Amino acid sequence: MSGRVADAATNPGAHVGPSRLAPWLAMLAAYAVPVFFVLAPLTLFLGYSFFSVDQGDIVFTPTIANYVRFFTDPIFLPIFWRTCLLCLAVAVLCVLFAFPVAYFLTTLRGRRRYTLLVLLLVPLLMSYVIKIYAVRSILGGNGMLNKALLATGLIDQPSMLFVFNLNAVLLTLTVLLIPFAVLPIFLSLERIPKALRHASADLGASGAQTFWRVTVPLSMPGTLSAMSFVFVLAIGDFLTPQMVGGQSGFTFGRIIYSQFGTAFNWPFGAALSVILAAVVIVAIRLGGHAERRHGGAR
Amino acid sequence: MMRLADRLAPALLMLMTLVVFVLLYGPLMVPIVSSFFTVSRGAVDWSQPTLSAYVALMANESVLNALWTTLIVGAGAVICSVALGTGIALYYTSPHAKGRAFLQFIIFLPFLMPPIITGLALLIFFRQVEFERSLVTIIIGHTVFVLALVYRTILTRLQSLSESLVEASYDLGASRWQTFRLVLLPNLSSAMVGAAVLAFALSFDETMITLLVTGTQSTLPVRLWAMMRLGFTPDINALVALVLLFTTILCLVAVRFLMPKSAIEGSDED
C-alpha cells in the first residue's frame, strides 16, 4: 500500500508530483529558517569566542585568549564552580519537593488527577519575571517570610540570611523550577508496572520496602532527567540572580550578561557562553534526555 | 510497626503536595492582593481597598505601548512558528526528507540551550549582517524559541494519524494539495490551535531573548522587568495581577487542546 504513495509521489508524470524540482524546493523551505536563524547565529557565536576586543572594536584574528583568561583569571573559575554547585543544590531541592507531589499524583485517578496536573502546569506558563518578583516580595528584608518569623518569635529582628544574596537566588530558583521537576518524575512513576509493586507486596515487603527498593530505583530515569532539566534551566538564568542576588549573588549567567552590557567584551562573553553550553550539554547527557527523546519519538 | 508507616504515608504525601502548592501559588497572591490597596513608604496600607492602581494603569502610556508590542510580537511569532512548524513536520514525515535527525536537532537547539545563548547568538548575528534590531528581530527570536514546541506538537499529531488515511485519499484520486487541505488539515487543526496558544503564551512571557534582541521597543515582560527593579508598587502589582489572569486563561485553553486523551479519559467529561 505504501508503495503506491511513494509511486504517486515520485513519478513526475503523475499529477501528484509537479516536477523534479519539488523535493529540492521542499528541502530549501524546510531548512531555510532553522539554518539561517539558528545554525548560522550559533556558529557565528562560536566563532566570536575566538576573537578579541581592542578599544571597543572587535578584532577578527583567531585567538584562544578568551578561554585562557577564563581558566587562569582568579575571578571566573570560582564563580563558575559556585554557580554549578548552586544549580546542583537547586536541582536536588526541586526533586525533594517534586517527588512526593509526583507520587501523590500517581495515587489519584480521573478528574482529580487531571485537575491537579493542570494546576501544576499553569505556573509553567506564568510569566517568569512576575514569579521572581512575587518570590522577592516574600524574601525581602521586610517581606512576608521575615514578618512571619518575627511574629512567631523565632527571631527578634529581620534576618538577612536570605535577602539579596546567593541563598535568595537558591530559594527563588527552587520555587520557580519545582513544576519542571514534577512532570518527568510523574511520567517515570506512571510507567512502573503495577504488577511489580504487587509482586513486591506479595513477597512480603512492607509499603516502605516496596517504595525504597522497587519504586525509587525504577523512577531514577525520571528523577535524573528532572534534575538535569532543573539544572539546565537554573544555570542559564540571569534574571533571578540579577533580581534577588544583590551584590554578592554573582552567578555565571550574570557575568556573561554583563560582558554584553557594562563590560562590553562580546568575544569574551561568547567564550563564557560556549563554556556554559558545554556544561549544559553534559547535564543533558547525564540526564539521559537524548535517550528519552528517542523513546518518545517512536 | 511498618503498618503505621504505611498508613501515615498518604497523609504525608498530601501534606507535601499542599506545601508545594503553597510555594507555587502563595507568592503570587502577595502582589495580587496588594494591588487592591495603596502602598505608602514601602508598607501596604490595608485600611481601605481601592482600584486606583488599575485606573492609573489604563492611563500609563508606556505600559499600553508595551502591551501592544507584545500582542504584535505574539501574533507574528504564532503565525511564523505554526506555518513553519507544520511545514517542517510535513517535510519530516515525507518520504523525500533528507537529514531528518539533523533538521530536528537544529530546531531543538534554541529550546535545549539556555535562552541567554540563543539571545546572544542572535544579537551578534543581527549585528554582523547589519540587520537593525526592531520588532522583526524580536519576532524572529520568539519564533525560533517556540518553534521546537510547535513543531513537536504538530509532528506528534501527524504521526498519530493512520497512514491509510493518506493512502485512501491518494487512492481516491486526490492531489497532494487536496489531501493536505481536506484530509490532513482537519485532523491537525486542534493540534495547531493548541500549539498556537502555547506559542502565544510562551511569547507573551519571553523575557531573556527579548531583552537581548530588542531595539528601542519593549514588550510587557521587559517593561515589567524595568519597572520591578525600582521596587514594589501598586501599579506593578495591578499589572502583575492582570498578566497572571491572562496567562492562566491561555494555559487552560492550551491544556484543553493538547492534553493527551489518556489523561482526561476516565474523568467524567462534560
Side-chain angles (χ1 to χ4, degrees):
Chain A
M1 265 298 164
S2 61
R4 164 124 203 173
V5 182
D7 262 4
T10 43
N11 182 357
H15 57 284
V16 196
S19 78
R20 281 186 174 277
L21 257 165
W24 291 103
L25 285 176
M27 187 177 162
L28 195 71
Y31 273 88
V33 169
V35 166
F36 200 66
F37 288 120
V38 179
L39 201 59
L42 285 173
T43 313
L44 182 69
F45 198 38
L46 183 66
Y48 251 74
S49 71
F50 294 102
F51 299 147
S52 57
V53 159
D54 186 30
Q55 291 171 357
D57 286 321
I58 288 153
V59 183
F60 295 91
T61 321
T63 162
I64 56 162
N66 294 319
Y67 293 96
V68 173
R69 183 174 167 205
F70 170 76
F71 285 107
T72 52
D73 197 301
I75 298 172
F76 301 107
L77 263 176
I79 292 183
F80 173 75
W81 290 120
R82 212 174 59 192
T83 308
C84 287
L85 214 61
L86 174 88
C87 296
L88 201 63
V90 172
V92 170
L93 277 174
C94 279
V95 165
L96 287 180
F97 277 109
F99 202 98
V101 179
Y103 195 87
F104 183 64
L105 260 175
T106 59
T107 65
L108 297 177
R109 288 280 164 269
R111 184 159 282 276
R112 290 168 81 188
R113 170 193 271 205
Y114 174 67
T115 311
L116 201 63
L117 201 60
V118 171
L119 281 174
L120 284 165
L121 285 172
V122 169
L124 284 183
L125 283 187
M126 280 180 178
S127 171
Y128 200 68
V129 183
I130 287 180
K131 283 185 281 187
I132 304 175
Y133 173 75
V135 178
R136 186 181 69 168
S137 71
I138 289 196
L139 292 178
N142 52 2
M144 293 281 163
L145 189 57
N146 256 325
K147 282 197 180 132
L149 287 174
L150 283 172
T152 54
L154 281 173
I155 50 174
D156 35 336
Q157 51 181 318
S159 165
M160 286 298 139
L161 259 177
F162 40 80
V163 180
F164 296 118
N165 54 23
L166 275 183
N167 294 339
V169 180
L170 174 76
L171 292 175
T172 311
L173 281 174
T174 303
V175 170
L176 256 51
L177 300 177
I178 289 173
F180 288 98
V182 174
L183 287 176
I185 298 177
F186 168 67
L187 291 177
S188 74
L189 283 174
E190 221 192 4
R191 244 179 255 146
I192 301 174
K194 281 211 188 60
L196 288 179
R197 270 185 265 178
H198 291 318
S200 166
D202 287 349
L203 291 170
S206 70
Q209 280 172 320
T210 303
F211 177 77
W212 288 112
R213 305 187 62 172
V214 178
T215 310
V216 169
L218 284 174
S219 70
M220 266 340 246
T223 307
L224 284 179
S225 99
M227 277 185 71
S228 92
F229 222 44
V230 170
F231 180 87
V232 166
L233 287 166
I235 204 164
D237 186 9
F238 62 95
L239 297 177
T240 307
Q242 192 97 350
M243 186 89 116
V244 301
Q247 290 299 314
S248 65
F250 240 84
T251 64
F252 199 55
R254 234 174 127 179
I255 287 190
I256 294 178
Y257 186 57
S258 72
Q259 298 305 318
F260 291 80
T262 45
F264 199 75
N265 190 337
W266 287 21
F268 186 55
L272 296 180
S273 303
V274 171
I275 291 161
L276 174 68
V279 174
V280 166
I281 290 166
V282 170
I284 292 177
R285 272 286 142 115
L286 287 180
H289 271 211
E291 179 207 7
R292 280 168 48 79
R293 211 193 304 129
H294 282 299
R298 247 169 297 157
Chain B
M1 239 186 73
M2 274 305 177
R3 285 274 155 235
L4 182 69
D6 286 2
R7 202 132 11 111
L8 265 175
L12 210 67
L13 279 181
M14 212 185 290
L15 185 74
M16 281 300 287
T17 308
L18 199 72
V19 168
V20 166
F21 272 92
V22 169
L23 283 179
L24 292 183
Y25 286 93
L28 297 172
M29 291 304 140
V30 179
I32 294 176
V33 173
S34 8
S35 73
F36 296 105
F37 297 91
T38 55
V39 174
S40 55
R41 270 179 268 121
V44 183
D45 176 9
W46 299 107
S47 55
Q48 61 205 61
T50 164
L51 284 175
S52 61
Y54 290 88
V55 177
L57 208 57
M58 292 308 137
N60 188 332
E61 206 138 306
S62 70
V63 167
L64 293 177
N65 278 339
L67 178 66
W68 188 232
T69 308
T70 310
L71 295 179
I72 295 174
V73 168
V78 164
I79 293 169
C80 295
S81 63
V82 172
L84 266 171
T86 312
I88 296 174
L90 284 171
Y91 181 75
Y92 186 90
T93 50
S94 87
H96 304 288
K98 287 185 179 62
R100 286 194 184 94
F102 180 62
L103 179 62
Q104 189 158 277
F105 171 72
I106 309 175
I107 295 170
F108 282 148
L109 273 178
F111 205 71
L112 292 176
M113 286 288 128
I116 187 173
I117 291 182
T118 310
L120 289 175
L122 281 172
L123 170 70
I124 287 182
F125 177 73
F126 289 138
R127 198 179 108 133
Q128 199 65 44
V129 299
E130 288 175 12
F131 196 98
E132 202 168 323
R133 284 186 273 163
S134 63
L135 270 184
V136 179
T137 54
I138 307 180
I139 292 177
I140 293 172
H142 284 203
T143 302
V144 298
F145 176 62
V146 300
L147 184 60
L149 212 64
V150 172
Y151 155 78
R152 193 69 231 186
T153 308
I154 295 173
L155 182 70
T156 306
R157 177 66 59 88
L158 198 58
Q159 286 174 334
S160 77
L161 297 180
S162 163
E163 256 175 60
S164 54
L165 214 62
V166 176
E167 284 166 21
S169 169
Y170 285 136
D171 281 350
L172 292 170
S175 71
R176 208 186 275 185
W177 170 246
Q178 283 172 321
T179 304
F180 172 69
R181 230 192 70 65
L182 300 171
V183 178
L184 287 178
L185 206 55
N187 278 299
L188 287 180
S189 60
S190 77
M192 283 165 79
V193 173
V197 176
L198 210 57
F200 189 83
L202 284 179
S203 159
F204 192 81
D205 288 337
E206 213 300 316
T207 318
M208 294 195 222
I209 296 176
T210 317
L211 215 55
L212 295 166
V213 299
T214 182
T216 50
Q217 277 127 328
S218 49
T219 59
L220 210 50
V222 171
R223 182 83 209 108
L224 262 173
W225 171 248
M227 288 164 80
M228 282 170 181
R229 308 190 70 172
L230 302 176
F232 189 81
T233 65
D235 54 333
I236 302 178
N237 293 336
L239 190 54
V240 162
L242 291 176
V243 171
L244 285 179
L245 181 71
F246 183 66
T247 34
T248 307
I249 295 171
L250 272 186
C251 183
L252 293 178
V253 173
V255 164
R256 201 106 200 105
F257 277 100
L258 291 178
M259 201 63 152
K261 288 257 164 53
S262 58
I264 315 171
E265 239 162 54
S267 65
D268 33 319
E269 265 282 274
D270 39 42

